[in-house]
Amino acid sequence: MKGIAIAFPWRISTLMFFTGIALVWLSCKKDDPPEDGEQDLTHIPYAPQAYTIVKPAHFPQIQIPADNPMTVEGVQLGRRLFYDPILSADSTQSCSSCHLPQGSFTDNLAVSTGIDGIAGRRSAMSLQNVAYATNRLFWDGRSPTLEDQALLPVEDPIEMHNTWPNVIEKLKKHPDYPARFRKAFGINTTKGITRELAAKAIAQFERTLVSSGKSKFDRYLQGELDALDDEELDGKLLFFDEGQVVGLPDAQCFHCHGGLTLTGNQYFNNGLDSVGTLDEFVDKGLGEVTGNPFDNGKFRAPTLRNIALTAPYMHDGRFQTLEEVIEHYSSHGKPAPNRDPLIPTVGFPIPGTNPVKYSGLTTYQKQALLKFLHTLTDTDFVNNPDIQNPF
Amino acid sequence: MKFSLAGGLLIAILAFIGCKDNTDSGPTSTFTITFKALYDGQPLEKFKAYDYDTYKVQLTRFNTYMSNITLLGGTSGDVKISDIEWVNFTPDLAPDNFAVPVPIAIANVPDGDYTGIRLGYGVPPNLNAQQPKDFPAGHPLSNENEYWLGWKSYIFNKIEGQVDLNSNGQADGALIYHCGSDAVFREYTFNLPVKVEPGAGITVEFDLKTLFVLNGTWLDLNNAYNQITSNDVNDVVIANELMDNFGNATTVK
């Protein structure tokens, strides 16, 4: 028994050592000559440093995919690619054109416009805490991972309208990028620059877009109980359905915007459109991806972190203000066969109604909720120098 | 040349892995528990209009934490095989409206014959005292979507749907059961022969129709306070009643 207990870790460490040696051996192909037109990069040191994401202590751990470990060099490369218009066909738009730091990585437009001046049909989603996104990405969930998501805007005809082969050619000929790809991923020649590595670098940078933990709400959560005033506390109670205060109903917010990132990472029909049948939705959302009519009109619940900075609201930017958003939910939205069952239950049950109806929120309750939403503003995050445009 | 050297090295590594010493305990197997959601004995189907008392319900979401999973009466006594699992029957991107079976494969379970299984419904108090940040990413309890900041508790289960009280084809009420607090954690024991050997497993079925019939009487959805439980002061009663009835709604085979 004792002997086994000693032998096991020895075997693991030995295995890791030999595996590492094998991987390094396979990657160090200095004697492979570059192909025509390709640039030898092996004179550039490849010594990536592990990158540790800085997150608030009260936030959960972040899951990093095994095939895209975070490195300082990878994050630096991704940051540049994120802000560089080199990705678009006419070199006028970058990821940051629609995801600007001051808008908590939105563009504050109802819908975004691509390089050809064509308006898209949906609003740019906030990237704050996107490292915590599970259950797919985009409003309609069409992308399984951050790495996959980063590939799509480049070739979207109403976004960057480029092709990845064209982007890769530009990156290969760039005076700076080949060395950065070498330092981040250990490629030996420019032939190693691929769309997959570009996407991995962008995803690494995007995973660093984590809250500062210094919003009023975060300070309250970390024990600074006077960080919220009485009205903001009432808004918090309404939001989180704590049910402990007589006179405050359930605003039902946290069911879809739960957890510290204030998104449940799920897809809902939140009663935006009145339809008689499931086929009537103009934008089918999740249903476009799944092909299931019951998913029509469902969209991903976005994070409410920094929500005061991300107007306009909803997937199509139909609401200009948070007041309009609150009014939408207080009035229970519009009917649809797959409207989420919680939407009509905001407020108190109205006595004597059968079937039961709910009261919605009073003017004070709406104001309290609004004030609470403003406690989610995190200017330290949007002003973090490490996530600004490096150019 | 280098490729062949590297290939040889990898073969050596694989051979190394293959020489596993297994003398410290008896044989073990991977034991699979397949969880299934039913309504009236049939696979649960989202948005299907089910008969419920004198009206109709449509169910849209069902997930639950299962915990302290313990095989009973083995040759070496009881064996806890899992602390916690999250079972989601209604993922957003399911291929159709049917609740998906959720197989959970538990490795290194001692082979042998057991006399039953004990299941925890929800998150036991020792784990419920912790928060998502306390668990490594990917752990079932790292999922902050299933954690209530307001009550500092995990949401043990979610059962959601809508009610057509007038049977006119229009939803006119909700059915939202989110249970979660130490007071509503339950454990139930199921006595049946369980054999653990390579390829073995059991099926655990939850029938929601049975869950909604409390002591022979349908949970009355005409009462607004019976439509929603988020475990607050008004509706913890319903959460208790549902959790009390979960054992009856469970079949292990």
Side-chain angles (χ1 to χ4, degrees), chain A residues 252 255-256 266-272 281 294 297-298 329 332-346, chain B residues 47 60-61 92 160-162 171 173-176 178:
Chain A
Q252 308 287 19
H255 297 283
C256 304
Q266 292 177 321
Y267 301 78
F268 303 92
N269 175 346
N270 58 343
L272 290 174
F281 290 102
F294 285 98
K298 289 186 179 180
Y329 289 117
H332 305 141
K334 296 174 182 170
N338 61 349
R339 178 178 58 174
D340 191 87
L342 281 160
I343 299 292
T345 68
V346 173
Chain B
F47 291 102
T60 55
R61 191 180 305 276
D92 282 313
E160 298 177 8
Q162 49 196 10
L175 181 155
I176 309 288
H178 293 179

Side-chain angles (χ1 to χ4, degrees), chain A residues 44-55:
Chain A
I44 300 167
Y46 170 55
Q49 301 174 61
Y51 183 99
T52 302
I53 298 176
V54 178
K55 71 166 190 65

